[in-house]
Structures are given as structure tokens and as C-alpha cells.
Amino acid sequence: EIKQPGWHRREGHDISAIVVPILQRHGYRTKDDACFLQCFEHGEVKRLRGELGWQGRLIQLMGGGKKGEDGTDFDTLRSAAGLAALAKIADGIGPSIGSVISGKTPAERHVTELVKLAHAAGLAVHPYTVRLDELPISVASADELHRVLFEEAHVDGVFTDFPDATARFLHK
């Protein structure tokens, strides 16, 4: 993840221009290579693909709010039109879990349209972050969260701080 690249550039450090050549030097160059480069700042995602020439897989991370600290308009990016435009430069999205499932109780829980819209645009979806110690209030267990994400929402993968629990669910 390229974290806060705009802030770093203002401080005199272009971390994206540093990271891309390092990845390439270590064999991560194409979409066939086992690497996803990701960032919350939409301008930087465009810059990575364009100006910096990143040819590998590129993920637009999406905050759960309306706008990012850099001004990225996540509401627009989550729309059908925003996702279609994003698909011209990125390979997938990394939204918050709350953008994929919502509700205050299991009875109120529902799957949003985000994954369906992203898949229609040709984008993979990997929501963040599955944490066993901070489950969404609309699920009662990690297995239930995984079931909802993978079997109801049809996500392609997840960010997790507990890869053993995710792997165990996927291998059942």
C-alpha cells in the first residue's frame, strides 16, 4: 500500500516513484505477478498507472466515508459510473466492510450493491479488514462474516488481520 503519497510528496519524498522500481526489480511487473499495489488517493492510483507506468495489478482503496483526506470522492467512485471509469485504470477496489454489508443487527443485515456494481464494471473486490476482535455489529462470528462476504456478497478476497481464520473458512 502506498500510504499518504500526497503528504509524503509535500515533505519532499515521492514514495510511489521509489516503490514502483523496487517492485519491478524484484520481479513484480505484470498482472500475472503475485502483487497488488494499492492506495486510497485516487489521484495517485491514476498516477501509478499513467505517469509511473505500473503494469501490475492496481487497487483503489475506498474509505467508508464520503471523501478521503486528500479529497478523493469515495461516494462518486462507489457509483456505477465511478466504478466504470475506475475500471479503465484499476483492476479492483478495496472498500470497507461497511460498504459491502450493513445493518445494526443480524436481522437487519443486508448486502449492498457495491460488489455487484464493481463486478459489472470488471473490478475485483477485496474489502477490509476482517478482524476477529472487531466484528461488524451485524454478524455474530467470524465464520458468519466470512459466509456473508464470500457467499452472499460474492467478494473476491478480503484483507484480514487473521489469515488463519479466513484460510480455515475458505478450505471448509
Side-chain angles (χ1 to χ4, degrees):
E1 178 181 345
I2 305 293
K3 290 188 178 272
Q4 298 182 318
W7 180 86
H8 282 95
R9 270 198 312 281
R10 288 189 301 276
E11 296 296 314
H13 305 284
D14 188 345
I15 60 174
S16 294
I18 294 168
V19 167
V20 168
I22 291 171
L23 290 172
Q24 292 168 334
R25 189 168 54 250
H26 289 280
Y28 302 107
R29 294 183 183 91
T30 73
K31 293 180 185 196
D32 292 329
D33 299 321
C35 180
F36 290 88
L37 190 54
Q38 58 197 13
C39 186
F40 279 98
E41 295 182 17
H42 184 59
E44 196 70 8
V45 169
K46 292 190 293 188
R47 182 173 174 257
L48 284 160
R49 183 66 83 208
E51 178 185 330
L52 298 176
W54 175 248
Q55 296 300 308
R57 291 180 277 187
L58 186 57
I59 305 297
Q60 172 71 60
L61 296 173
M62 296 183 170
K66 295 178 182 282
K67 291 202 183 262
E69 291 178 18
D70 69 311
T72 295
D73 186 342
F74 294 124
D75 272 352
T76 297
L77 287 176
R78 285 189 290 260
S79 71
L83 292 164
L86 184 57
K88 294 176 183 172
I89 58 167
D91 302 293
I93 61 171
S96 65
I97 289 173
S99 296
V100 175
I101 60 172
S102 65
K104 295 188 185 224
T105 67
E108 294 176 3
R109 181 186 62 238
H110 73 278
V111 173
T112 71
E113 295 291 309
L114 182 59
V115 176
K116 185 176 176 182
L117 293 172
H119 284 165
L123 294 165
V125 181
H126 306 124
Y128 65 86
T129 300
V130 172
R131 293 186 51 92
L132 303 185
D133 55 343
E134 291 181 24
L135 293 170
I137 59 176
S138 65
V139 298
S141 69
D143 277 346
E144 183 179 5
L145 175 59
H146 285 107
R147 186 189 59 71
V148 171
L149 289 171
F150 286 103
E151 296 174 8
E152 292 181 28
H154 304 287
V155 301
D156 302 289
V158 295
F159 292 91
T160 180
D161 289 345
F162 297 88
D164 56 326
T166 300
R168 193 170 33 254
F169 174 83
L170 292 173
H171 289 111
K172 282 185 186 180

